Amino acid sequence: MSPSPDDMDLKNLPIVMNLFTDIGKIEASRWDFCAGQDNPFVSHGFLSALESSGSVTAERGWQPCHLFLETEDGRPLAATPLYLKSHSYGEYVFDWGWARAMEQAGRPYYPKLQCAVPFTPATGPRLLVPEIYQEQNRKTLQQTLLNGMLQIMQEQKASSLHITFPTVQEWKDLAQPGIMQRTGLQYHWQNRDYSDFGDFLNDLSSRKRKAIRKERKAAQASCSDIRWLRGSEITPEIWARFYSFYLSTVDKKFAYAYLTPDFFEKLGQLMGDRVLLSTAWQQDELVAAALNLEGQTTLYGRYWGCKTELSHLHFELCYYQAIDHAIEKGLSTVEAGAQGDHKLQRGYLPTETYSLHAIADPGLRRAVEFSLRDENRAIKAEIDALLELSPFKRDIP
């Protein structure tokens, strides 16, 4: 009889390390055994939608090189999404200054290795180790994955390795000599066992309650219907409409359209009911929508767009509808994406995010290590200052 995961001593068990340049070559069930069910972005379905739609390719600067660990007899052990990159776009943890410093010193910064979910600034596991393993085995697998990434960095002559938006526990566990810690800032909403949206509003100061009620009233008056669509309810026609909204938002922000037209429909096909659209309609016409993915504990807001600007509709679909949904489903957190201090006054509080960085060049490594000490302290101070502006009553922790 084969030993169970709890019985295996992985320190003395040969581990086979495989590298895949196409996630489609990995069976979905084997990848998802490692990834678990909590975070939708590290699932085989999400990563496959990115690659099969042509949104993530070597030609676009994201060469997949996923690591997958297994036993000699083929039992899956652990995995990590990994990319060899020729630029720093689509990451949301910025290292442009580091790249310039290398270039000015006459040395290349690219290629570099990125352990991340492309175009997705959402916290989640990056070193995918099944929860069924005992702590010591989990640490062994994490270190094996990290060593594998560092080995690939050396073999590919990459300048650096970046693990972006890991969990706080990974951020702590993986910190070691040569691996630098960095923090960032986002705004997340936390569910304090609210019974409904009104219960949440009761936690806010009177002025903030009135402002949010006014915004919701204006938004709901600007359209004939606001409703959620999930999974198969999102037809190809709705996805095509949503893609036009996505492009409109990209144009307004003078950004780059990372995602191809096929991505959203493939996402709906592969992710099923974990994909939700918060939608606004004028009669039978879809005029705005916000894309969300649902995890076991968290609702993740990703993309938003509209046909025409309508009063406060962005806040309604992206923030208030998300809170409504989280309360109804008993979710603990809403992550509404990167940036946006306007979220603070709508109940989304400043929250630390994390990244880890290994840099091969000793001169750049010393300079970055020094600068990160100041940057991390500044992020902490900024969060403390922002919390003083919290819309919650002073007696709410």
mmCIF file of all heavy atoms in Angstrom, residues 55-101:
data_model
loop_
_atom_site.group_PDB
_atom_site.id
_atom_site.type_symbol
_atom_site.label_atom_id
_atom_site.label_comp_id
_atom_site.label_asym_id
_atom_site.label_seq_id
_atom_site.Cartn_x
_atom_site.Cartn_y
_atom_site.Cartn_z
ATOM 1 N N SER A 55 -3.628 35.426 -24.348
ATOM 2 C CA SER A 55 -3.331 36.602 -23.531
ATOM 3 C C SER A 55 -1.954 36.505 -22.902
ATOM 4 O O SER A 55 -1.280 37.522 -22.700
ATOM 5 C CB SER A 55 -4.399 36.762 -22.432
ATOM 6 O OG SER A 55 -5.695 36.882 -22.984
ATOM 7 N N VAL A 56 -1.523 35.291 -22.574
ATOM 8 C CA VAL A 56 -0.214 35.033 -21.974
ATOM 9 C C VAL A 56 0.567 34.125 -22.919
ATOM 10 O O VAL A 56 0.238 32.949 -23.074
ATOM 11 C CB VAL A 56 -0.367 34.386 -20.581
ATOM 12 C CG1 VAL A 56 0.961 33.824 -20.098
ATOM 13 C CG2 VAL A 56 -0.907 35.392 -19.581
ATOM 14 N N THR A 57 1.579 34.692 -23.553
ATOM 15 C CA THR A 57 2.430 33.948 -24.478
ATOM 16 C C THR A 57 3.846 34.500 -24.406
ATOM 17 O O THR A 57 4.072 35.610 -23.906
ATOM 18 C CB THR A 57 1.938 34.087 -25.935
ATOM 19 O OG1 THR A 57 2.079 35.461 -26.345
ATOM 20 C CG2 THR A 57 0.479 33.660 -26.086
ATOM 21 N N ALA A 58 4.777 33.735 -24.946
ATOM 22 C CA ALA A 58 6.156 34.223 -25.007
ATOM 23 C C ALA A 58 6.246 35.487 -25.844
ATOM 24 O O ALA A 58 7.003 36.416 -25.520
ATOM 25 C CB ALA A 58 7.055 33.131 -25.578
ATOM 26 N N GLU A 59 5.464 35.548 -26.926
ATOM 27 C CA GLU A 59 5.486 36.713 -27.807
ATOM 28 C C GLU A 59 5.002 37.964 -27.086
ATOM 29 O O GLU A 59 5.407 39.080 -27.427
ATOM 30 C CB GLU A 59 4.640 36.459 -29.045
ATOM 31 C CG GLU A 59 5.166 35.390 -29.987
ATOM 32 C CD GLU A 59 4.982 33.975 -29.457
ATOM 33 O OE1 GLU A 59 4.125 33.766 -28.570
ATOM 34 O OE2 GLU A 59 5.718 33.080 -29.921
ATOM 35 N N ARG A 60 4.150 37.802 -26.103
ATOM 36 C CA ARG A 60 3.648 38.933 -25.322
ATOM 37 C C ARG A 60 4.507 39.200 -24.087
ATOM 38 O O ARG A 60 4.145 39.992 -23.232
ATOM 39 C CB ARG A 60 2.197 38.685 -24.909
ATOM 40 C CG ARG A 60 1.213 38.867 -26.061
ATOM 41 C CD ARG A 60 -0.199 38.438 -25.641
ATOM 42 N NE ARG A 60 -1.184 38.969 -26.585
ATOM 43 C CZ ARG A 60 -2.097 39.890 -26.301
ATOM 44 N NH1 ARG A 60 -2.144 40.405 -25.082
ATOM 45 N NH2 ARG A 60 -2.951 40.319 -27.214
ATOM 46 N N GLY A 61 5.619 38.508 -23.982
ATOM 47 C CA GLY A 61 6.539 38.755 -22.875
ATOM 48 C C GLY A 61 6.297 37.926 -21.637
ATOM 49 O O GLY A 61 6.938 38.157 -20.611
ATOM 50 N N TRP A 62 5.394 36.942 -21.730
ATOM 51 C CA TRP A 62 5.112 36.050 -20.604
ATOM 52 C C TRP A 62 5.324 34.610 -21.084
ATOM 53 O O TRP A 62 4.393 33.975 -21.568
ATOM 54 C CB TRP A 62 3.670 36.204 -20.114
ATOM 55 C CG TRP A 62 3.320 37.490 -19.456
ATOM 56 C CD1 TRP A 62 2.996 38.666 -20.046
ATOM 57 C CD2 TRP A 62 3.216 37.710 -18.044
ATOM 58 N NE1 TRP A 62 2.700 39.621 -19.111
ATOM 59 C CE2 TRP A 62 2.823 39.066 -17.864
ATOM 60 C CE3 TRP A 62 3.416 36.909 -16.910
ATOM 61 C CZ2 TRP A 62 2.636 39.633 -16.606
ATOM 62 C CZ3 TRP A 62 3.225 37.472 -15.658
ATOM 63 C CH2 TRP A 62 2.834 38.823 -15.510
ATOM 64 N N GLN A 63 6.521 34.093 -20.944
ATOM 65 C CA GLN A 63 6.791 32.715 -21.325
ATOM 66 C C GLN A 63 6.515 31.789 -20.144
ATOM 67 O O GLN A 63 7.234 31.815 -19.147
ATOM 68 C CB GLN A 63 8.242 32.536 -21.756
ATOM 69 C CG GLN A 63 8.680 31.080 -21.956
ATOM 70 C CD GLN A 63 7.888 30.364 -23.024
ATOM 71 O OE1 GLN A 63 7.926 30.751 -24.183
ATOM 72 N NE2 GLN A 63 7.134 29.322 -22.651
ATOM 73 N N PRO A 64 5.457 30.961 -20.217
ATOM 74 C CA PRO A 64 5.187 30.062 -19.091
ATOM 75 C C PRO A 64 6.335 29.077 -18.891
ATOM 76 O O PRO A 64 6.918 28.553 -19.847
ATOM 77 C CB PRO A 64 3.913 29.320 -19.532
ATOM 78 C CG PRO A 64 3.277 30.225 -20.550
ATOM 79 C CD PRO A 64 4.424 30.871 -21.264
ATOM 80 N N CYS A 65 6.672 28.858 -17.632
ATOM 81 C CA CYS A 65 7.645 27.813 -17.267
ATOM 82 C C CYS A 65 7.259 27.284 -15.885
ATOM 83 O O CYS A 65 8.026 27.396 -14.923
ATOM 84 C CB CYS A 65 9.079 28.314 -17.322
ATOM 85 S SG CYS A 65 9.393 29.903 -16.537
ATOM 86 N N HIS A 66 6.054 26.733 -15.817
ATOM 87 C CA HIS A 66 5.483 26.300 -14.546
ATOM 88 C C HIS A 66 6.256 25.105 -13.976
ATOM 89 O O HIS A 66 6.611 24.167 -14.706
ATOM 90 C CB HIS A 66 4.020 25.909 -14.733
ATOM 91 C CG HIS A 66 3.202 26.944 -15.434
ATOM 92 N ND1 HIS A 66 3.065 28.229 -14.953
ATOM 93 C CD2 HIS A 66 2.489 26.902 -16.590
ATOM 94 C CE1 HIS A 66 2.288 28.926 -15.772
ATOM 95 N NE2 HIS A 66 1.940 28.146 -16.772
ATOM 96 N N LEU A 67 6.473 25.139 -12.667
ATOM 97 C CA LEU A 67 7.119 24.027 -11.982
ATOM 98 C C LEU A 67 6.072 23.092 -11.397
ATOM 99 O O LEU A 67 5.085 23.549 -10.804
ATOM 100 C CB LEU A 67 8.020 24.542 -10.858
ATOM 101 C CG LEU A 67 9.385 25.104 -11.244
ATOM 102 C CD1 LEU A 67 10.149 25.485 -9.983
ATOM 103 C CD2 LEU A 67 10.177 24.116 -12.066
ATOM 104 N N PHE A 68 6.314 21.793 -11.551
ATOM 105 C CA PHE A 68 5.377 20.795 -11.027
ATOM 106 C C PHE A 68 6.194 19.671 -10.407
ATOM 107 O O PHE A 68 7.043 19.073 -11.065
ATOM 108 C CB PHE A 68 4.493 20.250 -12.155
ATOM 109 C CG PHE A 68 3.315 19.457 -11.676
ATOM 110 C CD1 PHE A 68 2.141 20.096 -11.295
ATOM 111 C CD2 PHE A 68 3.379 18.075 -11.585
ATOM 112 C CE1 PHE A 68 1.046 19.376 -10.838
ATOM 113 C CE2 PHE A 68 2.292 17.338 -11.129
ATOM 114 C CZ PHE A 68 1.124 17.992 -10.765
ATOM 115 N N LEU A 69 5.945 19.424 -9.129
ATOM 116 C CA LEU A 69 6.665 18.387 -8.394
ATOM 117 C C LEU A 69 5.793 17.147 -8.246
ATOM 118 O O LEU A 69 4.591 17.245 -7.983
ATOM 119 C CB LEU A 69 7.069 18.881 -6.999
ATOM 120 C CG LEU A 69 7.849 20.201 -6.897
ATOM 121 C CD1 LEU A 69 8.234 20.464 -5.443
ATOM 122 C CD2 LEU A 69 9.071 20.197 -7.791
ATOM 123 N N GLU A 70 6.425 15.981 -8.383
ATOM 124 C CA GLU A 70 5.710 14.720 -8.185
ATOM 125 C C GLU A 70 6.678 13.668 -7.665
ATOM 126 O O GLU A 70 7.906 13.849 -7.714
ATOM 127 C CB GLU A 70 5.054 14.253 -9.488
ATOM 128 C CG GLU A 70 6.022 14.016 -10.617
ATOM 129 C CD GLU A 70 5.323 13.668 -11.918
ATOM 130 O OE1 GLU A 70 4.080 13.689 -11.957
ATOM 131 O OE2 GLU A 70 6.017 13.370 -12.907
ATOM 132 N N THR A 71 6.118 12.569 -7.176
ATOM 133 C CA THR A 71 6.938 11.440 -6.748
ATOM 134 C C THR A 71 7.393 10.662 -7.985
ATOM 135 O O THR A 71 6.902 10.888 -9.096
ATOM 136 C CB THR A 71 6.156 10.511 -5.817
ATOM 137 O OG1 THR A 71 5.016 9.983 -6.529
ATOM 138 C CG2 THR A 71 5.659 11.256 -4.583
ATOM 139 N N GLU A 72 8.313 9.727 -7.788
ATOM 140 C CA GLU A 72 8.796 8.925 -8.910
ATOM 141 C C GLU A 72 7.690 8.094 -9.549
ATOM 142 O O GLU A 72 7.743 7.785 -10.741
ATOM 143 C CB GLU A 72 9.942 8.014 -8.460
ATOM 144 C CG GLU A 72 11.250 8.764 -8.194
ATOM 145 C CD GLU A 72 12.395 7.836 -7.875
ATOM 146 O OE1 GLU A 72 12.172 6.891 -7.068
ATOM 147 O OE2 GLU A 72 13.487 8.036 -8.423
ATOM 148 N N ASP A 73 6.676 7.741 -8.754
ATOM 149 C CA ASP A 73 5.567 6.969 -9.330
ATOM 150 C C ASP A 73 4.411 7.865 -9.779
ATOM 151 O O ASP A 73 3.308 7.388 -10.037
ATOM 152 C CB ASP A 73 5.067 5.903 -8.341
ATOM 153 C CG ASP A 73 4.580 6.489 -7.021
ATOM 154 O OD1 ASP A 73 4.673 7.728 -6.850
ATOM 155 O OD2 ASP A 73 4.105 5.725 -6.154
ATOM 156 N N GLY A 74 4.652 9.187 -9.880
ATOM 157 C CA GLY A 74 3.692 10.072 -10.541
ATOM 158 C C GLY A 74 2.654 10.715 -9.657
ATOM 159 O O GLY A 74 1.727 11.354 -10.168
ATOM 160 N N ARG A 75 2.784 10.634 -8.337
ATOM 161 C CA ARG A 75 1.812 11.307 -7.474
ATOM 162 C C ARG A 75 2.141 12.796 -7.375
ATOM 163 O O ARG A 75 3.284 13.153 -7.094
ATOM 164 C CB ARG A 75 1.815 10.683 -6.073
ATOM 165 C CG ARG A 75 1.129 9.325 -5.997
ATOM 166 C CD ARG A 75 1.323 8.697 -4.634
ATOM 167 N NE ARG A 75 2.721 8.316 -4.423
ATOM 168 C CZ ARG A 75 3.222 7.949 -3.258
ATOM 169 N NH1 ARG A 75 2.451 7.943 -2.175
ATOM 170 N NH2 ARG A 75 4.498 7.605 -3.155
ATOM 171 N N PRO A 76 1.156 13.670 -7.607
ATOM 172 C CA PRO A 76 1.443 15.120 -7.541
ATOM 173 C C PRO A 76 1.770 15.550 -6.123
ATOM 174 O O PRO A 76 1.174 15.079 -5.158
ATOM 175 C CB PRO A 76 0.137 15.751 -8.033
ATOM 176 C CG PRO A 76 -0.922 14.732 -7.755
ATOM 177 C CD PRO A 76 -0.259 13.397 -7.923
ATOM 178 N N LEU A 77 2.728 16.477 -6.028
ATOM 179 C CA LEU A 77 3.167 16.961 -4.724
ATOM 180 C C LEU A 77 2.948 18.460 -4.557
ATOM 181 O O LEU A 77 2.439 18.913 -3.531
ATOM 182 C CB LEU A 77 4.653 16.638 -4.514
ATOM 183 C CG LEU A 77 5.039 15.176 -4.375
ATOM 184 C CD1 LEU A 77 6.565 15.043 -4.341
ATOM 185 C CD2 LEU A 77 4.432 14.570 -3.119
ATOM 186 N N ALA A 78 3.357 19.253 -5.551
ATOM 187 C CA ALA A 78 3.286 20.716 -5.413
ATOM 188 C C ALA A 78 3.506 21.336 -6.789
ATOM 189 O O ALA A 78 3.978 20.684 -7.719
ATOM 190 C CB ALA A 78 4.327 21.224 -4.420
ATOM 191 N N ALA A 79 3.184 22.624 -6.895
ATOM 192 C CA ALA A 79 3.321 23.327 -8.175
ATOM 193 C C ALA A 79 3.462 24.817 -7.915
ATOM 194 O O ALA A 79 3.176 25.300 -6.814
ATOM 195 C CB ALA A 79 2.108 23.059 -9.064
ATOM 196 N N THR A 80 3.900 25.544 -8.939
ATOM 197 C CA THR A 80 3.913 27.001 -8.854
ATOM 198 C C THR A 80 3.773 27.605 -10.245
ATOM 199 O O THR A 80 4.386 27.111 -11.191
ATOM 200 C CB THR A 80 5.193 27.522 -8.165
ATOM 201 O OG1 THR A 80 5.065 28.910 -7.889
ATOM 202 C CG2 THR A 80 6.428 27.307 -9.014
ATOM 203 N N PRO A 81 2.946 28.647 -10.403
ATOM 204 C CA PRO A 81 2.864 29.343 -11.690
ATOM 205 C C PRO A 81 4.089 30.237 -11.862
ATOM 206 O O PRO A 81 4.388 31.063 -11.001
ATOM 207 C CB PRO A 81 1.574 30.157 -11.562
ATOM 208 C CG PRO A 81 1.422 30.396 -10.091
ATOM 209 C CD PRO A 81 2.018 29.204 -9.405
ATOM 210 N N LEU A 82 4.786 30.078 -12.983
ATOM 211 C CA LEU A 82 6.063 30.755 -13.163
ATOM 212 C C LEU A 82 6.200 31.195 -14.617
ATOM 213 O O LEU A 82 5.797 30.468 -15.532
ATOM 214 C CB LEU A 82 7.204 29.812 -12.790
ATOM 215 C CG LEU A 82 8.619 30.378 -12.740
ATOM 216 C CD1 LEU A 82 8.740 31.440 -11.649
ATOM 217 C CD2 LEU A 82 9.633 29.257 -12.510
ATOM 218 N N TYR A 83 6.801 32.379 -14.815
ATOM 219 C CA TYR A 83 6.918 32.952 -16.153
ATOM 220 C C TYR A 83 8.295 33.592 -16.315
ATOM 221 O O TYR A 83 8.791 34.261 -15.403
ATOM 222 C CB TYR A 83 5.827 34.006 -16.389
ATOM 223 C CG TYR A 83 4.446 33.457 -16.173
ATOM 224 C CD1 TYR A 83 3.865 33.458 -14.904
ATOM 225 C CD2 TYR A 83 3.723 32.895 -17.226
ATOM 226 C CE1 TYR A 83 2.607 32.930 -14.684
ATOM 227 C CE2 TYR A 83 2.458 32.357 -17.016
ATOM 228 C CZ TYR A 83 1.907 32.374 -15.747
ATOM 229 O OH TYR A 83 0.659 31.839 -15.530
ATOM 230 N N LEU A 84 8.872 33.401 -17.490
ATOM 231 C CA LEU A 84 10.086 34.109 -17.876
ATOM 232 C C LEU A 84 9.652 35.349 -18.641
ATOM 233 O O LEU A 84 8.968 35.253 -19.661
ATOM 234 C CB LEU A 84 10.970 33.220 -18.750
ATOM 235 C CG LEU A 84 12.377 33.728 -19.050
ATOM 236 C CD1 LEU A 84 13.216 33.774 -17.776
ATOM 237 C CD2 LEU A 84 13.048 32.858 -20.106
ATOM 238 N N LYS A 85 10.044 36.528 -18.152
ATOM 239 C CA LYS A 85 9.488 37.772 -18.674
ATOM 240 C C LYS A 85 10.544 38.648 -19.345
ATOM 241 O O LYS A 85 11.697 38.685 -18.916
ATOM 242 C CB LYS A 85 8.818 38.569 -17.549
ATOM 243 C CG LYS A 85 7.578 37.889 -16.960
ATOM 244 C CD LYS A 85 6.637 38.925 -16.380
ATOM 245 C CE LYS A 85 6.159 39.887 -17.431
ATOM 246 N NZ LYS A 85 5.582 41.108 -16.848
ATOM 247 N N SER A 86 10.096 39.362 -20.368
ATOM 248 C CA SER A 86 10.981 40.279 -21.096
ATOM 249 C C SER A 86 10.603 41.735 -20.856
ATOM 250 O O SER A 86 11.101 42.627 -21.536
ATOM 251 C CB SER A 86 10.915 39.974 -22.600
ATOM 252 O OG SER A 86 9.585 40.093 -23.085
ATOM 253 N N HIS A 87 9.727 41.991 -19.887
ATOM 254 C CA HIS A 87 9.319 43.351 -19.513
ATOM 255 C C HIS A 87 8.718 43.289 -18.111
ATOM 256 O O HIS A 87 8.696 42.230 -17.476
ATOM 257 C CB HIS A 87 8.310 43.924 -20.515
ATOM 258 C CG HIS A 87 7.097 43.066 -20.715
ATOM 259 N ND1 HIS A 87 6.152 42.847 -19.727
ATOM 260 C CD2 HIS A 87 6.670 42.353 -21.800
ATOM 261 C CE1 HIS A 87 5.195 42.054 -20.180
ATOM 262 N NE2 HIS A 87 5.492 41.736 -21.432
ATOM 263 N N SER A 88 8.210 44.429 -17.624
ATOM 264 C CA SER A 88 7.631 44.472 -16.272
ATOM 265 C C SER A 88 6.164 44.912 -16.281
ATOM 266 O O SER A 88 5.645 45.357 -15.255
ATOM 267 C CB SER A 88 8.446 45.421 -15.378
ATOM 268 O OG SER A 88 9.728 44.900 -15.129
ATOM 269 N N TYR A 89 5.501 44.758 -17.411
ATOM 270 C CA TYR A 89 4.091 45.143 -17.484
ATOM 271 C C TYR A 89 3.197 44.051 -16.887
ATOM 272 O O TYR A 89 3.530 42.865 -16.881
ATOM 273 C CB TYR A 89 3.686 45.379 -18.946
ATOM 274 C CG TYR A 89 4.342 46.575 -19.579
ATOM 275 C CD1 TYR A 89 5.425 46.414 -20.446
ATOM 276 C CD2 TYR A 89 3.894 47.866 -19.311
ATOM 277 C CE1 TYR A 89 6.042 47.512 -21.028
ATOM 278 C CE2 TYR A 89 4.511 48.970 -19.898
ATOM 279 C CZ TYR A 89 5.583 48.788 -20.752
ATOM 280 O OH TYR A 89 6.195 49.869 -21.323
ATOM 281 N N GLY A 90 2.032 44.490 -16.385
ATOM 282 C CA GLY A 90 1.014 43.557 -15.930
ATOM 283 C C GLY A 90 1.299 42.895 -14.604
ATOM 284 O O GLY A 90 0.747 41.830 -14.320
ATOM 285 N N GLU A 91 2.124 43.535 -13.756
ATOM 286 C CA GLU A 91 2.528 42.900 -12.501
ATOM 287 C C GLU A 91 1.991 43.603 -11.256
ATOM 288 O O GLU A 91 1.755 42.955 -10.237
ATOM 289 C CB GLU A 91 4.059 42.862 -12.422
ATOM 290 C CG GLU A 91 4.692 42.039 -13.529
ATOM 291 C CD GLU A 91 6.192 42.239 -13.638
ATOM 292 O OE1 GLU A 91 6.760 42.964 -12.779
ATOM 293 O OE2 GLU A 91 6.796 41.683 -14.563
ATOM 294 N N TYR A 92 1.878 44.924 -11.263
ATOM 295 C CA TYR A 92 1.333 45.728 -10.172
ATOM 296 C C TYR A 92 2.235 45.778 -8.938
ATOM 297 O O TYR A 92 1.838 46.285 -7.897
ATOM 298 C CB TYR A 92 -0.069 45.240 -9.773
ATOM 299 C CG TYR A 92 -1.042 45.260 -10.927
ATOM 300 C CD1 TYR A 92 -1.214 44.132 -11.724
ATOM 301 C CD2 TYR A 92 -1.765 46.407 -11.238
ATOM 302 C CE1 TYR A 92 -2.097 44.152 -12.800
ATOM 303 C CE2 TYR A 92 -2.643 46.430 -12.310
ATOM 304 C CZ TYR A 92 -2.797 45.310 -13.088
ATOM 305 O OH TYR A 92 -3.653 45.324 -14.148
ATOM 306 N N VAL A 93 3.447 45.240 -9.055
ATOM 307 C CA VAL A 93 4.509 45.465 -8.075
ATOM 308 C C VAL A 93 5.675 45.991 -8.901
ATOM 309 O O VAL A 93 6.259 45.252 -9.687
ATOM 310 C CB VAL A 93 4.896 44.178 -7.324
ATOM 311 C CG1 VAL A 93 6.074 44.443 -6.391
ATOM 312 C CG2 VAL A 93 3.706 43.652 -6.528
ATOM 313 N N PHE A 94 5.993 47.254 -8.741
ATOM 314 C CA PHE A 94 6.781 47.947 -9.754
ATOM 315 C C PHE A 94 8.282 47.858 -9.481
ATOM 316 O O PHE A 94 8.749 48.162 -8.385
ATOM 317 C CB PHE A 94 6.329 49.410 -9.841
ATOM 318 C CG PHE A 94 4.858 49.527 -10.150
ATOM 319 C CD1 PHE A 94 3.967 50.008 -9.205
ATOM 320 C CD2 PHE A 94 4.365 49.123 -11.379
ATOM 321 C CE1 PHE A 94 2.607 50.101 -9.486
ATOM 322 C CE2 PHE A 94 3.014 49.209 -11.672
ATOM 323 C CZ PHE A 94 2.125 49.698 -10.732
ATOM 324 N N ASP A 95 9.017 47.461 -10.522
ATOM 325 C CA ASP A 95 10.469 47.369 -10.424
ATOM 326 C C ASP A 95 11.157 48.112 -11.571
ATOM 327 O O ASP A 95 12.293 47.796 -11.934
ATOM 328 C CB ASP A 95 10.924 45.900 -10.400
ATOM 329 C CG ASP A 95 10.524 45.130 -11.657
ATOM 330 O OD1 ASP A 95 9.760 45.669 -12.479
ATOM 331 O OD2 ASP A 95 10.990 43.981 -11.817
ATOM 332 N N TRP A 96 10.463 49.103 -12.148
ATOM 333 C CA TRP A 96 11.034 49.850 -13.261
ATOM 334 C C TRP A 96 12.343 50.541 -12.858
ATOM 335 O O TRP A 96 13.294 50.608 -13.649
ATOM 336 C CB TRP A 96 10.034 50.892 -13.764
ATOM 337 C CG TRP A 96 8.782 50.300 -14.326
ATOM 338 C CD1 TRP A 96 7.542 50.283 -13.755
ATOM 339 C CD2 TRP A 96 8.633 49.615 -15.583
ATOM 340 N NE1 TRP A 96 6.638 49.654 -14.570
ATOM 341 C CE2 TRP A 96 7.270 49.229 -15.697
ATOM 342 C CE3 TRP A 96 9.509 49.300 -16.618
ATOM 343 C CZ2 TRP A 96 6.776 48.543 -16.801
ATOM 344 C CZ3 TRP A 96 9.014 48.608 -17.718
ATOM 345 C CH2 TRP A 96 7.661 48.246 -17.799
ATOM 346 N N GLY A 97 12.401 51.062 -11.650
ATOM 347 C CA GLY A 97 13.618 51.717 -11.183
ATOM 348 C C GLY A 97 14.783 50.747 -11.095
ATOM 349 O O GLY A 97 15.931 51.106 -11.395
ATOM 350 N N TRP A 98 14.518 49.521 -10.688
ATOM 351 C CA TRP A 98 15.568 48.508 -10.620
ATOM 352 C C TRP A 98 16.080 48.191 -12.025
ATOM 353 O O TRP A 98 17.287 48.040 -12.226
ATOM 354 C CB TRP A 98 15.048 47.238 -9.958
ATOM 355 C CG TRP A 98 14.407 47.446 -8.612
ATOM 356 C CD1 TRP A 98 14.357 48.613 -7.900
ATOM 357 C CD2 TRP A 98 13.736 46.478 -7.825
ATOM 358 N NE1 TRP A 98 13.693 48.427 -6.714
ATOM 359 C CE2 TRP A 98 13.293 47.118 -6.635
ATOM 360 C CE3 TRP A 98 13.454 45.126 -7.990
ATOM 361 C CZ2 TRP A 98 12.591 46.450 -5.643
ATOM 362 C CZ3 TRP A 98 12.749 44.441 -7.002
ATOM 363 C CH2 TRP A 98 12.327 45.100 -5.836
ATOM 364 N N ALA A 99 15.144 48.096 -12.973
ATOM 365 C CA ALA A 99 15.534 47.814 -14.359
ATOM 366 C C ALA A 99 16.402 48.943 -14.927
ATOM 367 O O ALA A 99 17.419 48.690 -15.595
ATOM 368 C CB ALA A 99 14.292 47.608 -15.215
ATOM 369 N N ARG A 100 16.021 50.188 -14.639
ATOM 370 C CA ARG A 100 16.805 51.320 -15.137
ATOM 371 C C ARG A 100 18.214 51.320 -14.548
ATOM 372 O O ARG A 100 19.192 51.617 -15.246
ATOM 373 C CB ARG A 100 16.091 52.637 -14.822
ATOM 374 C CG ARG A 100 14.907 52.934 -15.725
ATOM 375 C CD ARG A 100 14.463 54.387 -15.580
ATOM 376 N NE ARG A 100 14.013 54.685 -14.226
ATOM 377 C CZ ARG A 100 12.768 54.522 -13.794
ATOM 378 N NH1 ARG A 100 11.842 54.056 -14.626
ATOM 379 N NH2 ARG A 100 12.430 54.825 -12.565
ATOM 380 N N ALA A 101 18.301 50.993 -13.271
ATOM 381 C CA ALA A 101 19.616 50.975 -12.617
ATOM 382 C C ALA A 101 20.532 49.948 -13.278
ATOM 383 O O ALA A 101 21.728 50.218 -13.500
ATOM 384 C CB ALA A 101 19.457 50.675 -11.129
#
